[in-house]
Structures are given as C-alpha cells and as structure tokens.
Amino acid sequence: MTTDPIPPADLTVDGTGLLCVTLLLRLRKQIEDAPPGTVVHVIATDPAAPLDLPAWCHMVGHDYLGPLPGSRPVYGIRLAADARATRADAPWHPTSTSSRG
C-alpha cells in the first residue's frame, strides 16, 4: 500500500452489495483485458473488503493502493504487468500459467 494520493480511476468496478467471492469474480472479469498500470477503483460494501482486497492483490501481484477518502467504501488498485492469473470461476486459485493472458 502506498501513502501517496490515489490517482483517479481508469476503471471503476461497482461491487455494492456483493460479498467477497462474488466481488472478486466481478473484479477479475472487469480487469481481464485492462492494460498494466490501469488504476481501478473498487466500490465494495462487504465489511471484509478492507482485508480481502489487499490479500488478493498480494496473492496475484497487483498494487493495492488503499481506501479512498470519502463517505463511500472505495479502494484503489493498480494493475501489474506481471500479475499471476487466477481461475475465472475461483479468483483465489491460480491458474496453471504464471501471468495474465
């Protein structure tokens, strides 16, 4: 996580009302074709999101930028070029390849 201000979103994923696994399924699907360096803002109302999002980013290799200031629960992520791929149906499980396709 960085202490620098979180940049504006290139892509926003609305996970309002979704629990962790469903949120990660949506996030994974929506970032699938996004280029490295893309800043993603994730709207996540799941109380576990402040733990799950940084853990998932660490697992796959994306940069977790932290929560954005404001009244809505929004978290920043920067996509990494060398991120590890996860299964489409199980975003906590790596695929047999070591990088995003």
Side-chain angles (χ1 to χ4, degrees):
M1 187 168 85
T2 181
T3 57
D4 296 332
I6 297 173
D10 299 311
L11 174 67
T12 299
V13 176
D14 188 352
T16 303
L18 300 180
L19 296 179
C20 175
V21 173
T22 310
L23 170 66
L24 291 177
L25 286 168
R26 179 173 291 178
L27 173 59
R28 186 195 175 284
K29 178 69 176 160
Q30 290 189 343
I31 66 172
E32 194 169 57
D33 296 323
T38 297
V39 173
V40 182
H41 288 185
V42 182
I43 303 167
T45 54
D46 181 353
L51 300 173
D52 291 339
L53 286 172
W56 184 77
C57 287
H58 177 74
M59 182 189 83
V60 300
H62 294 309
D63 296 319
Y64 177 70
L65 303 176
L68 279 76
S71 59
R72 293 187 342 163
V74 181
Y75 306 89
I77 296 171
R78 185 183 325 271
L79 303 184
D82 59 350
R84 291 172 286 288
T86 59
R87 290 182 13 205
D89 64 335
W92 286 104
H93 299 282
T95 61
S96 58
T97 59
S98 61
S99 63
R100 286 182 356 139

